[in-house]
Amino acid sequence: MTVETKLPYDKDYINQFSGDHQEPEWMKELRLQALEQVDKLELPKPDKTKIGKWNFSRFKHTAQGEKISSLTELPPEINDFLDKDNLPENIIIQRNHSVAYAAISQELKDKGVIFTDIFTAIKEHSDLVQRYYMKDAVSIDEHRLTALHAALMNGGVFVYVPKNVEIEDPLQVIFWQEDPEVALFNHVLVVADENSSVTYVENYISHNNEEETVANVVTEVIAQNNARISFGAVDNFASGTTAYNNRRGVAYRDATIDWALGQMNDGNTVSENVTHLIGDNSISNAKTVSVGRGNQSQNFTANIVHFGKNSEGYILQHGVMKDKATSIFNGVGKIEHGASKSNAEQESRVLMLSEKARGDANPILLIDEDDVTAGHAASVGRVDPLQLYYLMSRGITQKEAERLVIHGFLAPVVNQLPIESVKEQLTQVIERKVY
Amino acid sequence: MAGSTLEIKNLHVSIEGNEILKGVDLTIKGGEFHAIMGPNGTGKSTLASAIMGHPKFEITEGSVLLDGEDVLEMDVDERARAGLFLAMQYPSEISGVTTSDFLRSSINARREEGDEIPLMKFIKEMDEALDYLEIDKNMAQRYLNEGFSGGEKKRNEILQLMLLKPEIAILDEIDSGLDIDALKVVSKGINKLRDENFGCLIITHYQRLLNYITPDAVHVMMQGRVVKSGGPELAQRLEAEGYDWIKEELGIEDETVGQEA
Ligand SMILES: Nc1ncnc2c1ncn2[C@@H]1O[C@H](COP(=O)(O)OP(=O)(O)OP(=O)(O)O)[C@@H](O)[C@H]1O
Ligand SMILES: [Mg+2]
């Protein structure tokens, strides 16, 4: 680490921070060990995007947030996130690093479902969290950012669905970086035990266009045998936030993990979504939409790694690039030796709206097994003038015609989001970013 | 006089530097149905596309006026809002945009902001038109033309025609690819619009369509011009005898564009 990026967070600080949160010894140790590794590890090296000069060091580590007394009186910044006609029963709103609002239905509590902020989880369900926290999905020592994350983790949630419990209503979480300079080192851990199912949807939001900060988010999603997890997200950090967002899934036998991710940050972003299909017959659908604008540089990876036999992985990435935005879309399907009868499919499509924008789609198939099927398709193109002509020939203005084509282009993922209000909100974000 | 008038005067059109239309003159008034026939590659679709404003075609000479207004000065969407409609020979497919959303946007494009068609009224009108054209209601929720069969695309064009109610419509081979029942249904839809306020230019290869929709005038295109005009009996003669007699009459050897007379 060079001098100018030296962080003011040392052992004493971590000790103090961990102590303030009454963390168990294992967590404090994990943080301290991670801190020791930070200096030894390099930044990650996303393909074709240079992140060496991005801000990963200027931020404020903690900030509190005020409570929200009722879901009917939300601050205007996050008012749109909820379905007003159908207020969620299960929701956590994290404001900076405080839980501003949290609710879980009695029914889910009775069934043993855990849906709580990460600090409470570490205290109250220490063994359970310890069993999964940065073990099977993301490792502390992958690179400097994972180590930093482990050392400085300052927010997040824990979801645990016990065996045979099927949750119908989605669990929703809003992570609101209200303080323009505060960093979210958020850790989300979702564990669905055998034969269970859950739908989880999260939103990240901030409004800091002038002030700089960092979001370093690690999300671990574990689907035990025959569990089903549907994971939706809309990331919407403002341009001042440099984001590293690592969402990783591990699916065991007969398990399914589906992702629908709206990657709508306005700042520089590395977003990687990796799913390990460990068990036989496991399945993952990874669908992402992204919009790039202004001068932002983004690197998106969707990667499914097949270990189990007869496992299926489908990746669909759609991106729209305008202004001078640059984005790299890596779609990776990897089939390990022994994962026979597996199928890896991927499709990456990038729509360019300006001459100065840059978009690259890199489809990669890495296959170490003979008895498999795999396919990929990738394209980078512009809005088809004949489509515009057709729409305009019915009286629709060029602007509206473009809007229809762009929404249509992003629809396969937007429609996949499991909560109506989140879908609408993603549509609004797209609207705002594209026009 | 009722309805609108579309006047095409001495229209010359090029694509990528090749002149395709070489002086077309044609006037269509409200209440009139005109048919254009002619062998393949003689410029019929080019005429239709040029009137609507297809981005690939360049007008090098001549004019197109709608009620005296210069159509060629208008953007494509303005032409549509001024009252023109083109049922395309090859309509585009638009992924992710449902037919129903597209129809609603098209209808609202003609209305003032704040005066959008109420959703229930729209659904009612659309359902009626779908029934009239014997189209499966599910089609409205499918993405526009995506994966539609040839016949479904044609019906969809007529569906749009019925809902948008233009002053002047150009129908480019609306009958090609239709089975006989579909042909009847589509004709029924077009005839429903027939009144003194609606003018129509029907491009077709077959007399069959004209059995259902009787034209007031029939024009034959060759080499990028209208080379012969007549009444409905002209279409019947073409059906029976083909085009050779016209070519002979006019001394044309190769009727396609680019061949000089
Ligand atoms: N996009 C294009 N690029 C190059 N040439 C074109 C293009 N569109 C039309 N042409 C040419 O212009 C000529 C007239 O074509 P047009 O489509 O107008 O014929 P048409 O009379 O409609 O034929 P058909 O009965 O087969 O539909 C043809 O020689 C055709 O190849
Ligand atoms: Mg044609």
Side-chain angles (χ1 to χ4, degrees), chain A residues 143-335:
Chain A
H143 46 68
R144 192 188 298 164
L145 295 180
T146 48
L148 258 180
H149 171 89
L152 295 176
M153 189 279 289
N154 60 9
V157 299
F158 176 60
V159 176
Y160 175 75
V161 188
K163 278 181 195 171
N164 304 321
V165 172
E166 305 207 354
I167 305 180
E168 299 263 318
D169 293 332
L171 309 181
Q172 187 176 4
V173 182
I174 296 170
F175 295 110
W176 177 19
Q177 179 221 314
E178 182 183 24
D179 183 309
E181 291 173 341
V182 80
L184 294 189
F185 284 83
N186 241 36
H187 198 97
V188 174
L189 180 54
V190 178
V191 179
D193 219 326
E194 290 177 19
N195 304 317
S196 70
S197 73
V198 63
T199 298
Y200 168 93
V201 176
E202 64 183 13
N203 304 91
Y204 282 95
I205 181 84
S206 78
H207 297 91
N208 52 313
N209 290 313
E210 303 296 318
E211 303 85 350
E212 286 182 309
T213 188
V214 175
N216 179 333
V217 176
V218 172
T219 301
E220 303 184 282
V221 173
I222 316 286
Q224 296 289 10
N225 293 344
N226 201 34
R228 276 164 291 130
I229 299 176
S230 169
F231 190 107
V234 179
D235 301 342
N236 195 199
F237 284 112
S239 58
T241 299
T242 303
Y244 168 71
N245 204 330
N246 180 343
R247 291 191 173 97
R248 196 164 302 172
V250 181
Y252 294 96
R253 187 172 43 74
D254 299 316
T256 300
I257 299 179
D258 288 335
W259 307 92
L261 309 177
Q263 306 176 131
M264 299 289 147
N265 292 342
D266 274 331
N268 291 342
T269 296
V270 172
S271 188
E272 50 170 297
N273 173 224
V274 184
T275 307
H276 291 266
L277 298 176
I278 303 288
D280 294 351
N281 313 318
S282 53
I283 300 173
S284 181
N285 287 287
K287 300 191 176 185
T288 71
V289 284
S290 319
V291 175
R293 69 168 171 182
N295 286 315
Q296 77 180 132
S297 169
Q298 302 186 90
N299 189 292
F300 303 107
T301 299
N303 178 351
I304 298 180
V305 190
H306 300 247
F307 297 92
K309 291 186 186 13
N310 197 31
S311 56
E312 295 173 50
Y314 304 95
I315 293 171
L316 181 68
Q317 296 175 291
H318 278 199
V320 172
M321 292 301 120
K322 60 179 277 198
D323 303 335
K324 291 183 187 164
T326 304
S327 291
I328 310 292
F329 293 84
N330 303 300
V332 188
K334 187 161 196 289
I335 303 186

Side-chain angles (χ1 to χ4, degrees), chain A residues 384-398 400 403-405 407-409 411-412 415, chain B residues 52-54 76-77 80-81 85-86 88 91-97 102 106 109-110 143 145 157 160:
Chain A
D384 178 359
L386 289 186
Q387 289 189 334
L388 292 183
Y389 165 62
Y390 185 64
L391 295 170
M392 289 171 70
S393 79
R394 301 313 185 230
I396 297 170
T397 60
Q398 175 158 356
E400 179 66 12
R403 208 183 68 85
L404 282 172
V405 170
H407 276 288
F409 174 75
N415 292 341
Chain B
M52 202 67 231
H54 187 295
V76 176
D77 56 318
R81 293 197 300 274
F85 181 92
L86 169 59
M88 300 198 189
S92 293
E93 304 191 355
I94 303 190
S95 189
V97 177
F102 161 68
S106 304
R110 278 144 230 279
Y143 292 152
N145 290 325
E157 294 292 288
Q160 295 168 38

Side-chain angles (χ1 to χ4, degrees), chain B residues 45 89 172-173:
Chain B
S45 293
Q89 189 173 0
D172 192 357
E173 294 200 22

Side-chain angles (χ1 to χ4, degrees), chain B residues 15-16 20 39-46 56-57 89 173 205:
Chain B
I15 181 158
E16 286 151 13
I20 294 172
N40 295 127
T42 52
K44 302 182 298 297
S45 293
T46 302
K56 276 215 162 168
F57 294 91
Q89 189 173 0
E173 294 200 22
H205 286 291

Side-chain angles (χ1 to χ4, degrees), chain B residues 42-74:
Chain B
T42 52
K44 302 182 298 297
S45 293
T46 302
L47 175 64
S49 304
I51 295 171
M52 202 67 231
H54 187 295
K56 276 215 162 168
F57 294 91
E58 194 198 340
I59 316 289
T60 51
E61 216 184 311
S63 65
V64 178
L65 304 176
L66 183 65
D67 296 329
E69 300 274 341
D70 186 353
V71 169
L72 302 178
E73 281 296 304
M74 302 180 194

